[in-house]
Each structure stands twice: as structure tokens, then as C-alpha cells.
Amino acid sequence: MSSASDKTPVTVLTGYLGAGKTTLLNRILSEPHGKKYAVIVNEFGEIGIDNDLVVGADEEVFEMNNGCICCTVRGDLIRILEGLMKRKGKFDAIIVETTGLADPAPVAQTFFIDEEVGRKARLDAVVTVADAKWLTDRLKDAPEAKSQIAFADVILLNKTDLVSGEELEEVEARIRGINPYARIIRTVKSAVALDEVLDKGAFDLDRILSIEPAFLEADDHDHHHHGHDHGHDHHHHEHGPDCGCGHDHHHDHGHEKHDHGAHAHGGLKHYHDETMQSVALEIPGEVDPNKFMPWVNALAQSDGQNFLRWKGILAFKGEDRRFVFQGVHMILDGDLQREWKADEARRSKLVFIGKELDEAKLRREFEACAA
Ligand SMILES: Nc1nc2c(ncn2[C@@H]2O[C@H](COP(=O)(O)OP(=O)(O)OP(=O)(O)O)[C@@H](O)[C@H]2O)c(=O)[nH]1
């Protein structure tokens, strides 16, 4: 028997779209902590933007593309974790960043149900980043957001700069209503002392069993997902039937009625928003910032309500550095970041995640920004 301390600690980083997970991850990776972390990032949308936004991405980041981590959890995640375990000694800890749409329960479950993984790794804590400005709304319409709060051991109540003291009290009370146990830390730009979120030993199985009595029950979807109608289409865009999620996305969407959009994975409720879509656009070249910036500003006003998350990496005409564009609803942010590398094609990518996305219009308008 190995003791807990022999096992590699795993932090599951979750939180709704745009809450500040990547911001926290970059902080963790760039601080001089003297540790070596392996990072597993679960991408949403077909073209990899998330991985490109993580600093030091070259050596440490393992991508799980095209699929939702909570669906691929027993496939890709286990394979990546087992691969990492074989290289034990190289990593002090593992961080798994889930997409904003993932339900963390099945991810956490992996560490208890998969024997091989459970022998070598231990779930240290589920850390949830919550957006102080939007969480209250998402708790009303997005069951994943609620599950992310319910499963958290530590909650960063982030973006406190965007709300009044009164609103902050309100959202904190809502969080407490769902999860009275988690430690809540108020942050701006996910600024937190690392020892508040890493190596906490905070994951509390007994508490989770009180929320999800079926947490430890394995199910027959464990190693193959065939034929499992998952009823969600949040990443169906431009994916073939083999999007890697392992579920059939193109049949019977929303056909079965589930309570609150919950799906059974074993005995475990599994939440997915069935109306979420993503649109991924790419221009094989540069864009003109004098067209792009006015366009996104106008779009934020006209359609921002429907865009839960939009982000892009753009090659601006005549600019040596990559422009990283970020949006959460109508709040936009953009920065020139590192230089394009010599062997890197100067392409411009933009991803939208939201509801009622008019793909043809977005594509047409984005393409009109080409330089
Ligand atoms: N005003 C404000 N903006 C913030 C804060 N934290 C992060 N942001 C911005 O919010 C946007 C989203 O941050 P990310 O860290 O990319 O969020 P995320 O949770 O990784 O997003 P997804 O991976 O798309 O789910 C970026 O534009 C950040 O700069 C904050 O405390 N205040």
C-alpha cells in the first residue's frame, strides 16, 4: 500500500466559461515555486486556442482536444494520467484544467474509480473559479455552473473589481447556499497565494458522498461510450461523429427529458447544457485591426448577451506580436503578447461559445476583417 504522500497530487481546476481559470493557471506556472507541474488542458472548440494561451505551453501542457473532459474522462484523461505516472519523478503535481462547460464530478470520480490512476495519484482539491459578475445569472440557467460550485473545495470568487460590495455579498451568499463548506477567496485576476490552492489535501470524499451518494459507483460506460446518447450538442460544431467525446452527438438531441439536464453516468448525475454551441473561425493570414476592433466592439453591443465566451489569437497586419483577444459577454479584453515564432504560420483564429450563434454571419463578418 502506498501512503497518500507517495501519490502525485492532482488539482482539478474548474469554473464556468471565462471565469479566470487560464489566468490562474498562468499565475501558477509563472510563479517561482520551484516545482514542476504537468498540466492537462481540455479544449473546447475545434481549433486549439486554450493551449496557446497557457504560458510555457511548450513542455508541460497536454491537450485533450475536441471533446468535453467529463465525457472523455475515462478515455483520454486516464491515458494521459497513466502516461504521466510512468514518468513519475518528473512532476511534483498535476493540474487538470477543465472546460468551462464540464461537470467536475466525473473528473473527480476518476481518481477513486480507476484503480491504476488511484494507486498513483490522489485528488488534492477541486478548485473552482467563479465570475463575481456573471455567476448569479449562470446559476439560474447553467446546471454545470452549479455543479462546479457544489464540488469545490476552494472557490476563487474572481473579478471582484467588476461588482459592487453589495453584489459581492449577494453572490457569495448564493455560493454559500450551494456549498457551505468550501473556502471562498475573493480575487482580482485570480491573484491568490499558491498555497491557498495547491497541495491542500482538501478533497473531502465524505462530503461529496453526501451530495452524490453514487459517487463511487462505477458504471458500464467506463471504458467505452458506444451508443450512449448523451443528448448534448455543445461542441458538435464542425466535429464529425468522432469528435473524441465518445458520444454520439448527432442523434436524438434533447430527445430524452432529463431532470434539470442531468445525465446518468453510473449513478452519478452528469450535467450538460444542451443549447450550447461553439463556432470556430480561422483566416489563413492576417487581419486588419482597423476593421477587426470596430467589428468586435459593435458585436459586443449587439450580440454580447449570447456570447458566453469568445476568444481569439490574431495576426495583425504589420505586427510582430500575436494579438490575444478575450471576451466574456460584452466585456472585451485584448493584448499584444509574445512574438510570432519563425516557424509559426501567421493565422488568425476566433472561437465563440454561446447560444443562438449565427455562424454564417460571424464567418462572413470575420472574413471581411482580413488584411
Ligand atoms: N475585470 C477582470 N477581468 C478578469 C479578471 N480575471 C480574469 N479576467 C479576464 O477575463 C477573461 C477570461 O479569463 P480566462 O482566465 O481566460 O478565463 P477562463 O476561465 O480560462 O476561460 P475559458 O477557458 O474560456 O473558460 C480574460 O479577458 C481575463 O483577462 C478579474 O479579476 N477582473
Side-chain angles (χ1 to χ4, degrees), residues 17-23 158-159 161 189 309 311 326 333:
L17 294 168
K21 297 178 293 297
T22 307
T23 306
N158 192 40
K159 306 201 188 180
D161 56 312
K189 292 266 173 190
R309 191 75 174 100
K311 51 191 161 184
Q326 304 259 15
D333 198 1

Side-chain angles (χ1 to χ4, degrees), residues 14-26 42 44 50 53 97-101 129 131 157-162 187-191 308-311 325-328 331-335 353:
T14 180
Y16 207 69
L17 294 168
K21 297 178 293 297
T22 307
T23 306
L24 175 62
L25 191 58
N26 283 337
N42 180 213
F44 188 101
D50 289 9
L53 296 178
E97 182 191 354
T98 70
T99 78
L101 292 170
V129 184
D131 185 325
L157 182 50
N158 192 40
K159 306 201 188 180
T160 55
D161 56 312
L162 297 182
T187 58
V188 174
K189 292 266 173 190
S190 305
L308 288 157
R309 191 75 174 100
W310 36 328
K311 51 191 161 184
F325 169 81
Q326 304 259 15
V328 180
I331 296 171
L332 306 183
D333 198 1
D335 258 330
I353 300 167

Side-chain angles (χ1 to χ4, degrees), residues 275-310:
T275 57
M276 204 68 70
Q277 302 166 261
S278 76
V279 168
L281 304 174
E282 186 159 358
I283 292 176
E286 298 181 329
V287 302
D288 180 347
N290 295 321
K291 293 177 184 161
F292 180 78
M293 298 312 287
W295 173 58
V296 292
N297 281 315
L299 196 58
Q301 295 315 310
S302 60
D303 292 41
Q305 203 55 251
N306 287 338
F307 301 158
L308 288 157
R309 191 75 174 100
W310 36 328

Side-chain angles (χ1 to χ4, degrees), residues 126-128 139 145-155 171-184 202-204 207-208 210-211:
V126 175
V127 176
T128 300
L139 288 177
K146 199 167 183 176
S147 185
Q148 290 164 355
I149 296 294
F151 264 80
D153 302 294
V154 179
I155 296 170
V171 68
E172 189 161 327
R174 283 183 191 280
I175 291 172
R176 277 281 164 253
I178 297 166
N179 183 338
Y181 304 100
R183 179 162 156 63
I184 299 178
F203 187 79
D204 182 346
R207 185 174 72 73
I208 294 310
S210 73
I211 306 173

Side-chain angles (χ1 to χ4, degrees), residues 32-68:
H33 41 60
K35 295 212 165 150
K36 182 132 178 75
Y37 295 107
V39 178
I40 301 173
V41 185
N42 180 213
E43 297 257 355
F44 188 101
E46 189 183 1
I47 48 182
I49 283 191
D50 289 9
N51 184 35
D52 281 350
L53 296 178
V54 175
V55 294
D58 292 348
E59 319 98 59
E60 304 165 290
V61 178
F62 302 84
E63 278 182 65
M64 293 175 56
N65 275 315
N66 290 342
C68 163

Side-chain angles (χ1 to χ4, degrees), residues 1 5 7 9 21 36 44 81 111 145 165 167 191 196 227 234 263 272 281 296 299 309 335 341 344 363:
M1 280 308 274
S5 56
K7 297 184 182 185
K21 297 178 293 297
K36 182 132 178 75
F44 188 101
L81 285 169
F111 298 93
E167 289 170 296
E196 300 271 23
H234 63 245
H263 306 269
H272 265 300
L281 304 174
V296 292
L299 196 58
R309 191 75 174 100
D335 258 330
K341 293 179 189 152
E344 209 172 27
R363 181 182 303 278

